Amino acid sequence: MSTVHAPVGALLRRWRMRRRRSQLDLAVAADVSTRHLSYLETGKAAPSRAMIARLCDELDVPLRDRNTLLLAAGLAPEHTEHPWSELGLARAAIQAVLDGHDPNPAVAVNARWDVLASNRAMSSMLSSLPATVAGPPVNMLRATLHPDGMLGQLDDPGRWRDNALRRARRQYEHTADSGLKALIAEIEHYPIPPAADQDIEADELVVPMRLRTPLGELSLFYAVTVFGAPRDITMDELAIESFFPADEATRALLPQLIAGVT
């Protein structure tokens, strides 16, 4: 969010408006008077560290932007940001989760869907990406939706474009990340694939991703895992996307993804 130089009151107001909360609603939830909240937003009063933490909790402000609010208030930032390479035991634990998911694909991504780590199955799926899409870093949204990426392998590319953009826009609403906004704008300018004349089967609990590969068609659905109560910005922005076979044919094919992959 490009608001580093804005006053702390203006930042608080922007986050309140982004969350579609009234001053009265936020004041009651944060146990502060409406007048005091108004004074904070207009700069007539300066928030304490504890007040910023209370309001950020109510507004679900990401850790990166909590630091920005603290700096704008003249306070030291509270949350660290370790590079992925320096996460130590946490990184090892994340890689263990990914490796344990083989032969089903799994990947760890940041708030912009840049790949931080993957297991052998996902590495195999991404290995054929052309240089125009492969990065570094590999970006899962770009890899899936770029015309030179995996889009042509999808049975229903229009539906997956809509699904992915909906998720990305929700993510942007939550984080206000300028890099994610730019990525969404890039994807919106890709050619729109034609809609497939394909109905969802009545017994499907979720809509699977059907992907044509040299092994055959893979039918996959996915789950997203985030970490509870993070204190580091990298961990706060990290998510694990785990893919699962949606039918028995896919379950039988997936072990072949990692055959010969080191």
Side-chain angles (χ1 to χ4, degrees):
M1 194 172 187
S2 57
T3 51
V4 175
H5 301 296
V8 63
L11 294 179
L12 286 171
R13 185 177 187 279
R14 289 179 195 180
W15 279 106
R16 178 176 62 79
M17 299 299 290
R18 177 170 288 277
R19 298 295 187 248
R20 298 173 177 83
R21 303 280 293 273
S22 68
Q23 279 191 343
L24 177 60
D25 175 46
L26 179 58
V28 170
D31 194 23
V32 60
S33 72
T34 307
R35 172 181 286 187
H36 186 56
L37 179 58
S38 177
Y39 281 4
L40 292 175
E41 290 188 354
T42 58
K44 294 180 180 179
S48 65
R49 181 179 294 272
M51 178 60 69
I52 290 176
R54 194 187 312 171
L55 294 173
C56 284
D57 284 344
E58 288 298 329
L59 295 172
D60 193 23
V61 176
L63 298 191
R64 181 182 300 279
D65 296 279
R66 295 189 187 210
N67 276 354
T68 300
L69 284 161
L70 288 166
L71 287 169
L75 302 168
E78 181 176 346
H79 302 286
T80 60
E81 182 177 9
H82 289 89
W84 169 250
S85 60
E86 297 178 9
L87 285 182
L89 290 176
R91 177 182 176 182
I94 292 165
Q95 190 63 56
V97 171
L98 298 175
D99 292 342
H101 198 62
D102 271 325
N104 303 326
V107 62
V109 296
N110 62 17
R112 301 177 185 182
W113 271 278
D114 292 331
V115 173
L116 301 177
S118 61
N119 64 1
R120 291 191 296 164
M122 180 59 76
S123 296
S124 176
M125 286 182 64
L126 299 175
S127 63
S128 60
L129 289 174
T132 53
V133 184
V138 178
N139 182 276
M140 286 302 294
L141 287 181
R142 188 177 290 115
T144 305
L145 300 178
H146 193 283
D148 295 335
M150 299 165 65
L151 189 72
Q153 298 175 255
L154 295 175
D155 273 1
D156 194 349
R159 175 180 291 165
W160 279 101
R161 179 185 185 274
D162 292 344
N163 287 343
L165 280 173
R166 185 163 54 249
R167 286 185 62 205
R169 289 170 183 141
R170 277 203 309 265
Q171 178 81 350
Y172 175 69
E173 279 300 307
H174 177 68
T175 65
D177 184 282
S178 59
L180 181 56
K181 182 179 181 180
L183 178 63
I184 292 170
E186 174 190 327
I187 291 171
E188 287 174 338
H189 282 85
Y190 293 166
I192 299 176
D197 185 17
Q198 182 178 12
D199 294 327
I200 300 173
E201 295 181 16
D203 61 347
E204 288 180 348
L205 301 179
V206 295
V207 180
M209 171 189 283
R210 293 189 172 91
L211 188 71
R212 295 185 297 275
T213 75
L215 298 176
E217 183 177 273
L218 300 178
S219 184
L220 302 162
F221 62 89
Y222 64 89
V224 179
T225 304
V226 296
F227 289 84
R231 289 185 55 82
D232 182 85
I233 291 171
T234 302
M235 294 296 293
D236 185 48
E237 296 178 346
L238 187 144
I240 293 177
E241 296 202 348
S242 306
F243 290 79
F244 298 86
D247 56 35
E248 289 302 321
T250 300
R251 186 186 301 276
L253 286 173
L254 282 173
Q256 299 180 45
L257 273 180
I258 61 175
V261 178
T262 58

